[in-house]
Amino acid sequence: MPISLILTVLLILFVLTMLAKTVRVIPQGRAGIVERLGKFHAVLKPGLHIVIPVIDRVLPLIDLREQVVSFPSQSVITEDNLVVGIDTVVYFQVTDPQAATYEITNYIRAVDELTSATLRNVVGGLNLEQTLTSRDQINAELRGVLDSTTGRWGLRVSRVDIKEIQPPVSIQDSMEKQMRAERDRRAAILTAEGQKQSDILTAEGESRAAILRAEGEKQAQILRA
């Protein structure tokens, strides 16, 4: 193969490679950060964009859609010194790709750590009974703190949900015994009510039967007379 042909093929491949690096298509719901000579240059929105090869570098795309992250169970100490396990789910969205890239190294991990710290502060001021019955209050406080703090990271926290609260094993056993006793008590009440109604119906039936017998005897006496 002639050297000129080889050079031509290599030149064509080089041009095609440069063109591929020049044209960038950003899909819907994503954003790209462009660094020019190592410094922030622009945010690429969904659509077709032209960048300068070698000089410009496009960082990994950032997802702008709402994300749902379920964090593992956190051990939290209540005001009455009981350890409970709490599972949380955080709904958030990246609103500022530049801040999410340069203000924090890993925003998902940061949200996890912030959620754990805030949860310890909130639940630490509640006893076990309040913790078990105040999920809406805890969710609201968590969301308020997270949203105000993560704003400078380019995030917006829209919702925080507590999936499950696990009391200590000893407390769970006590709660199960209490629930079992309550079920037994209700069953006994229902049984007593049923027996009472049965006795009433039996007495009413016997009374009516006696009346009917008396009426029949009276009519028979009249007929015999």
Side-chain angles (χ1 to χ4, degrees):
M1 181 179 293
I3 297 178
S4 59
L5 181 58
I6 296 176
L7 293 176
T8 302
V9 172
L10 292 176
L11 180 60
I12 293 174
L13 291 176
F14 176 77
V15 172
L16 292 176
T17 302
M18 289 297 101
L19 287 176
K21 292 184 177 181
T22 300
V23 178
R24 291 300 302 265
V25 177
I26 307 300
Q28 187 68 33
R30 308 291 198 281
I33 298 293
V34 178
E35 290 182 345
R36 177 163 293 177
L37 298 177
K39 295 182 179 180
F40 170 76
H41 175 64
V43 176
L44 301 183
K45 297 181 179 180
L48 181 65
H49 299 274
I50 304 297
V51 297
I52 304 175
V54 181
I55 296 177
D56 290 342
R57 183 170 73 101
V58 180
L59 301 182
L61 300 184
I62 297 176
D63 197 335
L64 300 179
R65 298 169 297 179
E66 186 174 48
Q67 302 182 48
V68 182
V69 180
S70 178
F71 297 118
S73 178
Q74 304 290 332
S75 297
V76 184
I77 301 177
T78 62
E79 187 180 30
D80 43 0
N81 293 323
L82 294 174
V83 180
V84 296
I86 301 180
D87 299 340
T88 55
V89 179
V90 178
Y91 299 76
F92 69 93
Q93 185 177 14
V94 177
T95 56
D96 186 348
Q98 182 181 355
T101 302
Y102 296 105
E103 296 296 330
I104 192 72
T105 56
N106 186 330
Y107 55 80
I108 293 182
R109 181 178 177 182
V111 170
D112 183 13
E113 295 294 336
L114 182 60
T115 302
S116 300
T118 307
L119 197 59
R120 285 193 292 268
N121 291 334
V122 173
V123 176
L126 303 174
N127 58 38
L128 179 60
E129 183 178 358
Q130 292 172 332
T131 301
L132 295 175
T133 58
S134 305
R135 290 197 180 193
D136 292 340
Q137 175 187 344
I138 297 174
N139 290 339
E141 293 189 31
L142 284 175
R143 180 189 175 280
V145 174
L146 290 176
D147 195 32
S148 62
T149 304
T150 58
R152 59 188 176 88
W153 300 339
L155 308 179
R156 179 180 63 84
V157 176
S158 58
R159 181 178 172 185
V160 179
D161 283 340
I162 293 179
K163 290 196 305 183
E164 185 179 5
I165 299 178
Q166 299 176 343
V169 177
S170 59
I171 301 298
Q172 292 183 26
D173 293 340
S174 299
M175 293 173 63
E176 291 178 0
K177 291 179 181 178
Q178 183 178 359
M179 293 174 61
R180 192 180 304 113
E182 181 66 19
R183 288 195 299 267
D184 294 342
R185 186 182 68 85
R186 292 181 179 179
I189 292 175
L190 292 175
T191 302
E193 289 291 336
Q195 185 62 41
K196 178 181 177 182
Q197 293 296 327
S198 176
D199 293 342
I200 291 174
L201 292 176
T202 301
E204 289 180 352
E206 293 177 351
S207 175
R208 291 179 181 177
I211 293 173
L212 291 175
R213 285 195 299 270
E215 289 291 335
E217 183 64 27
K218 179 180 178 182
Q219 293 295 329
Q221 291 177 0
I222 293 173
L223 292 174
R224 285 196 298 270

